[in-house]
Amino acid sequence: MSSGDKLFGRLLNRQPPQPSNSADTPSVQRVGLQLHLNDEGRVIQLSGPLRHLLAQQIPGAQAPHLLDYLMPHSGLSVEGAPAEWQGQSLDLDFFSLGEHPLHLRGWVQPLGESWLLQLIDIGDLLLERRQARSREQCQLLAAQISEQLRLCSLTRLPEVLAEQLQGLAQRFQIPCIAMALLDEQAEGWLIHQHYTAFDAPGLWEIDQRLGTGLDSLNGSAPQQLIPSEHPRLQGIFGNAEGFAVPYHNALGVVAWLLCGFYPAQQRAPDLSERDWLQLTAALAGPLLERLREHQHHLQLERLESLQALLGTGWWEVFSDTAEVQLAPSLADTLNLASTRLPLHDWLEQIHPADREELTIRLQTLQDEGAPLLLCVRLHRPDAAQTPIWYRLQGQALGIGRNRRLVGFMLDISDIKNQEQNAAAAHARLDNLIASSPAVIYVQRYVEGALQPTFFSDSLLPLLGWSLADCAAGALVERVHPEDRDGYFERTRQLLREGSVRARYRLRDSRGDYHWLLDEAKLLRDDLGLPVEAVGLWLDVTEATLAAEKVKQSEERYRILVEDSPAMICRYLPDLTLTFGNRPLATYLECQPEQLPGVNLGSWMSPEQREAFLQRLSHLSPEFPVSTAEINLQLPGREHAWWVWSDRGVFDEQGRLLEIQAVGRDNTEVRRAQQQLTQSAKMATLGEMATGLAHEINQPLNVMRMAIVNVLKRLSNGDAQIDYLTDKLNRIDAQVQRAARVVDHMRVFGRRSEIEQHPFNPAQAIEGTLSLLSEGMRGKGVELRVSETGFEVQVRGYVDQLEQVLINLMVNARDALLSKREADREFKPWISVYAERDEYSVRLWVEDNGGGIDPRLLERIFEPFFTTKPVGVGTGLGLSVSYGIVENMGGKLSVRNSTEGARFCIELPIVADDQITSVARPE
Ligand code: ADP
């Protein structure tokens, strides 16, 4: 039996097959064969042990030729006659009775008359050579496969593996081939990659789970699998013959090359067990390595991204070179240019406050192997930035000289900062509670009673007690005797209703009482039974006292307002009173309670009210106060004058909410002023008496003349009707003239009206002239009056303006007359004219009386200043005039011109739109 047979016997995993002709074939030594040939090459005699294995082509032929024993291709080597074959070695393949032809080698030599062909069996030799070649090819193939798998990129790996499987399948005619790997997750085998010939049935697919059936196989050699013998593997190979080659490494069998529908020894007889193992190893070895590499790569990638995400990374310190190696991601987040750097540079990254500790801890780690765990801050140039915190953990690996220091850094800024914020907030809260006038307490519910079990730290500073001082009963004793009932009720209410709010006094350690606002809540368990009360004491002593004070001061304020002689009130922007004090009520002849709701405007004329509202509209948060003299018409009573101060109260948007006002009755003063004006007026009239006499005398004279003439005519008897008519008309005209003067005097002599009205100042000039012109002319004073030529309105009293003009003209007349006394030739004149601009009108009264001594200019408006002899001048004329003009919102001034005094009355013009229909003159 050849070694090849033995091999296949093993491959088949069964006993070597019995030769089919074993019964007929004698057991012979397969050593050699001798053939005696005649000159033609016919076989004369056969000898040697191999002769029993020879098969004749045409069995039973007489004197067969050597060629009859040879396979056709060997015939070529022995063409011709034996004599020609001498001296050469002949390799001849003989038909044999066995399965395989006989490969023999020999030579021819003469033997007497015939030829002797001696041959020996070289079958083994050939087989070995073929196997050697096949092994060589196999090795080459394995090397190629392994190289392909090793060198391809990871992404192409599955593709390359498939290509290699396909190559193997095609080369060794394997219908289905697959690589099965251990499935780590599922504890079994998994088809990793496979190839199926196009005409073969599909046995496998990628990632197919195979279970653990393969474990039952012997893992050290290739296995031929017969379904009947391997029922457990039927699921894997179907119902056909299979072939499985294991691959194992240090961990044991980790891969199987599976071949389906494959009788290996028939299809690839030249492949030895070793070749199969080698091919499988060429596939599985690099594949597993690459897969591990891939896993590693993924792991690394995951680790890297995780590190980057977490802001973490490993580090390793090399103490011999005083260097540190950092994970790239870590070096990146720390803004370091390289991943390996001097230890010193690394420590420089740490905040100085933490650096020393880290240095020492690293040293301890190096020296003693004590694990390192530290939270450090990074050193940032800008101290105001929020700190970046790292948790630094490290350990020592190995011992002695081989000791390695490795660890990681983890960004914990978020946690740390939150922690710090929380701690700060906590501290603030603690601090707040401790320093606030509040005490948090807990009282435990014990059989219907509440016993203090906790007080916040603020108890001591607030009341000077500790928890121990408040043991059962002690608390009640400290409650102010007057408040005890309230305190007991508080506890009852708390237990009854679950929450309570009370206020009582507690005595502190010094014996002083504190007003406490007590708010408590009852906490119950799942069954609704009281467990404890949680509450808060707020020291409201100050607030209570302050409230008391406010109450007192409010009372004082109220008394002040009530008892004030001034009229005090509050009213809304629409002038409705919301409050008025007693003096106001008294003034208005009613009770203070009746005041709210009354409208202030109802006591004012429409004009007054409008002016009043106008004034209020100018109040603003910046200028909230306005003072004016207002005039009221109280029903059934005389006019009242109040000096009135308003203060606006505004909301945040600057809207006027209400007005607080203080008023003082000024009627008396006003009345006195009016009387003064009136007496001044009367004085003027008195002064004017001479002029007036002349004024009236003139028409009387004319009338007398007329009457005398008429009487003369009548006595002569030639009184014609026409003549009489003419005379009577003249008399009538003079009567009218005199009546006009008297009328105007009567008007002028009347008291001024209470309210101002708009009027045309030209009216006043006219009135003045009607009273004075005749008298002036009588005294030889020339009146130069210019027409105003414009229409304006001023506000005030026409008679008072007239009085001013009369004063000025009479003063001028006096100055002129006294000058003429000195100089008979002197030609006195008074000029009256008016001019206007946009806002005001100016009335001028000018004379050529030489003017006023400049030293007296300042004083002439003072009351009782006069340069006239006693009994002549009153010294009131200009002073009253000044007051009148000022009251009309105007100004009275004087200057000396080249020839005399020049007085100016300047009055504001009332704009047309400010003249209400009520006030508009007829
Ligand atoms: P009275 O006329 O009673 O003296 P007034 O107040 O009217 O009082 O005048 C004050 C003084 O002003 C006069 O005494 C006079 O000296 C001076 N005065 C007023 N008007 C003129 C004027 N037109 N020319 C010169 N002096 C004048």
Side-chain angles (χ1 to χ4, degrees):
M1 182 137 212
S2 73
S3 61
D5 284 339
K6 275 186 235 140
L7 163 74
F8 283 106
R10 271 213 307 286
L11 281 178
L12 290 165
N13 200 18
R14 48 183 158 157
Q15 294 304 309
Q18 299 298 317
S20 54
N21 52 354
S22 59
D24 317 318
T25 319
S27 164
V28 284
Q29 276 287 171
R30 291 180 61 176
V31 184
L33 180 70
Q34 288 94 39
L35 293 128
H36 291 267
L37 304 173
N38 64 10
D39 285 343
E40 290 168 32
R42 288 192 183 277
V43 179
I44 305 165
Q45 190 194 338
L46 278 170
S47 62
L50 288 178
R51 69 179 189 277
H52 303 293
L53 290 178
L54 286 186
Q56 212 178 311
Q57 207 162 32
I58 310 151
Q62 293 295 311
H65 194 273
L66 174 62
L67 293 175
D68 291 336
Y69 291 96
L70 292 179
M71 296 183 78
H73 61 268
S74 288
L76 298 173
S77 323
V78 286
E79 278 187 340
E84 294 162 38
W85 310 334
Q86 272 191 100
Q88 42 183 300
S89 143
L90 300 170
D91 280 6
L92 302 173
D93 293 349
F94 287 80
F95 287 112
S96 94
L97 295 171
E99 259 176 85
H100 306 288
L102 286 172
H103 305 289
L104 305 179
R105 177 177 287 170
W107 58 93
V108 168
Q109 58 187 73
L111 181 73
E113 293 292 299
S114 57
W115 301 88
L116 175 65
L117 175 58
Q118 285 189 300
L119 295 156
I120 52 166
D121 187 353
I122 59 164
D124 281 3
L125 202 71
L126 288 179
L127 184 69
E128 259 162 38
R129 194 189 295 162
R130 211 172 63 227
Q131 280 177 344
R133 200 181 311 126
S134 145
R135 188 172 308 131
E136 207 172 283
Q137 281 174 354
C138 212
Q139 264 168 8
L140 205 69
L141 183 62
Q144 279 169 0
I145 290 174
S146 149
E147 187 179 298
Q148 291 278 334
L149 288 173
R150 262 184 235 283
L151 297 185
C152 70
S153 69
L154 269 175
T155 37
R156 277 208 67 226
L157 184 64
E159 209 178 305
V160 172
L161 178 63
E163 279 168 19
Q164 299 309 317
L165 287 176
Q166 181 178 358
L168 279 183
Q170 285 166 353
R171 187 171 186 137
F172 301 113
Q173 294 154 30
I174 310 170
C176 297
I177 186 166
M179 180 57 73
L181 300 181
L182 259 185
D183 179 6
E184 275 152 25
Q185 275 114 51
E187 297 254 317
W189 296 89
L190 197 74
I191 297 291
H192 180 73
Q193 186 59 284
H194 72 105
Y195 169 77
T196 305
F198 74 95
D199 52 352
L203 266 182
W204 303 303
E205 52 195 64
I206 290 181
D207 287 341
Q208 180 184 336
R209 288 181 200 286
L210 304 179
T212 53
L214 286 169
D215 292 343
S216 63
L217 294 178
N218 169 12
S220 58
Q223 317 267 307
Q224 189 72 45
L225 308 163
I226 307 297
S228 57
E229 292 175 17
H230 295 90
R232 279 194 71 189
L233 297 179
Q234 274 191 21
I236 298 177
F237 290 96
N239 222 0
E241 206 169 348
F243 182 61
V245 191
Y247 170 73
H248 57 91
N249 60 13
L251 302 173
V253 179
V254 287
W256 285 96
L257 182 69
L258 307 179
C259 306
F261 307 108
Y262 195 57
Q265 87 285 4
Q266 281 167 30
R267 299 274 174 82
D270 293 342
L271 284 191
S272 69
E273 212 171 78
R274 249 185 58 204
D275 294 334
W276 281 109
L277 288 173
Q278 191 175 27
L279 284 174
T280 305
L283 279 167
L287 173 65
L288 288 169
E289 212 169 279
R290 295 302 302 269
L291 288 178
R292 236 188 343 267
E293 179 194 335
H294 182 54
Q295 285 291 337
H296 190 68
H297 184 76
L298 287 180
Q299 199 118 357
L300 217 65
E301 228 172 45
R302 277 199 291 270
L303 203 70
E304 294 263 290
S305 69
L306 205 70
Q307 287 187 357
L309 279 178
L310 286 175
T312 179
W314 52 264
W315 51 261
E316 177 163 0
V317 170
F318 304 97
S319 6
D320 45 350
T321 56
E323 280 185 319
V324 67
Q325 173 95 38
L326 302 177
S329 58
L330 189 59
D332 218 39
T333 39
L334 294 179
N335 277 330
L336 294 170
S338 86
T339 55
R340 190 169 178 125
L341 62 156
L343 188 58
H344 176 76
D345 288 2
W346 184 44
L347 291 172
E348 281 292 299
Q349 300 291 318
I350 309 298
H351 195 277
D354 302 326
R355 202 179 291 153
E356 200 175 340
E357 188 177 0
L358 177 60
T359 315
I360 288 172
R361 293 296 197 86
L362 277 173
Q363 194 59 50
T364 339
L365 179 62
Q366 168 68 28
D367 297 344
E368 298 162 24
L372 168 82
L373 174 56
L374 202 62
C375 291
V376 297
R377 278 155 291 185
L378 287 194
H379 185 37
R380 307 181 82 181
D382 184 358
Q385 283 174 308
T386 38
I388 296 182
W389 280 93
Y390 271 92
R391 178 192 169 100
L392 225 145
Q393 209 164 344
Q395 61 183 41
L397 300 179
I399 40 166
R401 283 175 54 81
N402 294 331
R403 179 167 274 175
R404 296 169 61 200
L405 308 183
V406 294
F408 70 88
M409 278 176 86
L410 173 67
D411 187 345
I412 52 162
S413 307
D414 279 2
I415 305 167
K416 202 72 185 177
N417 288 334
Q418 268 171 22
E419 207 176 88
Q420 285 202 326
N421 284 348
H426 220 267
R428 274 201 298 276
L429 198 68
D430 279 349
N431 203 22
L432 205 70
I433 293 175
S435 62
S436 78
V439 175
I440 294 169
Y441 65 79
V442 178
Q443 293 178 325
R444 177 147 282 279
Y445 175 85
V446 184
E447 294 175 339
L450 291 173
Q451 293 176 355
T453 54
F454 167 81
F455 285 104
S456 61
D457 291 345
S458 42
L459 180 67
L460 192 68
L462 190 70
L463 296 172
W465 318 331
S466 65
L467 177 61
D469 300 330
C470 301
L475 197 60
V476 183
E477 271 174 27
R478 293 172 204 269
V479 177
H480 194 285
E482 288 173 19
D483 298 340
R484 277 194 194 143
D485 286 348
Y487 181 77
F488 289 129
E489 177 51 33
R490 165 250 176 214
T491 307
R492 279 196 296 273
Q493 191 186 343
L494 178 59
L495 292 176
R496 197 170 57 235
E497 292 169 19
S499 69
V500 76
R501 189 184 157 98
R503 188 192 275 263
Y504 45 84
R505 277 162 289 181
L506 269 188
R507 199 176 62 235
D508 67 12
S509 53
R510 287 192 316 238
D512 294 334
Y513 279 98
H514 292 250
W515 272 104
L516 294 183
L517 182 67
D518 179 3
E519 277 194 13
K521 236 186 159 71
L522 192 66
L523 305 182
R524 298 173 189 274
D525 65 9
D526 293 347
L527 298 174
L529 299 174
V531 177
E532 57 187 19
V534 179
L536 183 87
W537 277 338
L538 201 66
D539 187 340
V540 290
T541 312
E542 268 175 35
T544 308
L545 296 182
E548 201 82 354
K549 266 189 205 140
V550 166
K551 220 159 124 193
Q552 284 168 4
S553 82
E554 257 175 12
E555 182 64 15
R556 275 202 295 275
Y557 168 77
R558 199 181 58 75
I559 291 168
L560 204 70
V561 168
E562 282 298 295
D563 296 355
S564 157
M567 295 175 284
I568 295 173
C569 68
R570 297 208 319 262
Y571 59 92
L572 301 176
D574 68 355
L575 307 189
T576 312
L577 282 172
T578 52
F579 165 83
N581 69 348
R582 186 159 293 280
L584 182 67
T586 310
Y587 201 103
L588 297 174
E589 295 177 333
C590 67
Q591 291 301 312
E593 304 81 73
Q594 291 172 300
L595 286 175
V598 173
N599 195 296
L600 265 187
S602 61
W603 298 313
M604 297 177 200
S605 70
E607 238 188 303
Q608 276 278 346
R609 189 166 59 240
E610 194 165 306
F612 193 89
L613 290 170
Q614 179 98 25
R615 196 170 51 82
L616 289 187
S617 72
H618 289 123
L619 296 183
S620 67
E622 291 79 31
F623 302 102
V625 178
S626 155
T627 299
E629 192 177 34
I630 60 169
N631 170 231
L632 298 175
Q633 295 156 349
L634 303 174
R637 297 169 62 189
E638 58 179 338
H639 277 270
W641 292 95
W642 290 352
V643 175
W644 195 250
S645 278
D646 292 298
R647 164 177 269 278
V649 177
F650 296 88
D651 68 5
E652 281 158 8
Q653 278 84 43
R655 280 182 302 227
L656 182 62
L657 290 183
E658 65 159 30
I659 300 100
Q660 300 174 341
V662 177
R664 163 172 63 80
D665 184 16
N666 202 34
T667 314
E668 287 305 316
V669 177
R670 264 282 162 164
R671 205 171 287 154
Q673 260 174 10
Q674 269 178 346
Q675 268 165 3
L676 190 63
T677 317
Q678 190 61 23
S679 14
K681 208 193 261 179
M682 288 303 156
T684 310
L685 268 184
E687 272 181 58
M688 279 165 36
T690 345
L692 282 172
H694 183 85
E695 207 77 22
I696 292 167
N697 241 350
Q698 195 67 16
L700 285 180
N701 274 338
V702 175
M703 284 191 300
R704 203 180 64 219
M705 289 294 294
I707 289 167
V708 166
N709 285 341
V710 169
L711 285 176
K712 207 185 264 170
R713 283 281 179 115
L714 281 177
S715 59
N716 288 348
D718 63 346
Q720 305 290 324
I721 290 295
D722 287 353
Y723 176 80
L724 284 178
T725 313
D726 178 43
K727 285 295 171 198
L728 285 176
N729 277 343
R730 185 173 298 176
I731 293 168
D732 185 39
Q734 293 305 315
V735 167
Q736 278 179 22
R737 185 176 150 198
R740 242 193 349 261
V741 173
V742 172
D743 261 3
H744 193 85
M745 270 174 63
R746 222 174 34 222
V747 170
F748 180 73
R750 262 205 309 253
R751 276 167 179 265
S752 290
E753 285 190 60
I754 297 299
E755 277 194 44
Q756 298 190 330
H757 291 297
F759 65 93
N760 188 349
Q763 240 178 306
I765 297 177
E766 221 168 87
T768 308
L769 292 179
S770 79
L771 286 178
L772 293 186
S773 50
E774 280 302 325
M776 290 290 179
R777 262 182 231 118
K779 298 274 184 195
V781 176
E782 182 193 352
L783 278 183
R784 301 175 178 173
V785 182
S786 322
E787 283 293 313
T788 51
F790 50 80
E791 251 318 288
V792 287
Q793 298 281 328
V794 297
R795 192 187 295 278
Y797 312 96
V798 65
D799 60 327
Q800 290 190 358
L801 182 59
E802 216 167 272
Q803 189 184 347
V804 174
L805 285 168
I806 289 170
N807 268 326
L808 297 182
M809 284 174 76
V810 167
N811 277 345
R813 184 200 63 193
D814 289 350
L816 291 170
L817 294 185
S818 67
K819 188 170 176 192
R820 203 177 51 187
E821 257 170 38
D823 176 8
R824 288 271 139 205
E825 293 305 302
F826 174 61
K827 296 246 175 300
W829 54 257
I830 299 174
S831 170
V832 179
Y833 55 96
E835 61 182 34
R836 66 162 291 184
D837 59 22
E838 200 180 340
Y839 304 106
S840 49
V841 56
R842 279 179 291 279
L843 311 179
W844 300 91
V845 178
E846 193 177 345
D847 61 54
N848 62 342
I852 303 157
D853 185 335
R855 285 167 301 178
L856 304 180
L857 264 181
E858 295 278 301
R859 302 189 51 206
I860 56 166
F861 293 111
E862 284 174 17
F864 309 113
F865 177 83
T866 177
T867 56
K868 294 170 189 169
V870 181
V872 178
T874 60
L876 280 176
L878 283 182
S879 154
V880 169
S881 298
Y882 191 92
I884 288 172
V885 175
E886 195 175 47
N887 196 33
M888 287 172 72
K891 214 168 69 190
L892 177 62
S893 58
V894 64
R895 275 209 314 251
N896 279 329
S897 70
T898 44
E899 295 182 70
R902 190 194 213 181
F903 283 84
C904 174
I905 307 165
E906 184 172 0
L907 296 169
I909 294 176
V910 183
D912 259 1
D913 55 5
Q914 284 177 12
I915 302 171
T916 57
S917 56
V918 191
R920 199 178 290 278
E922 296 303 301

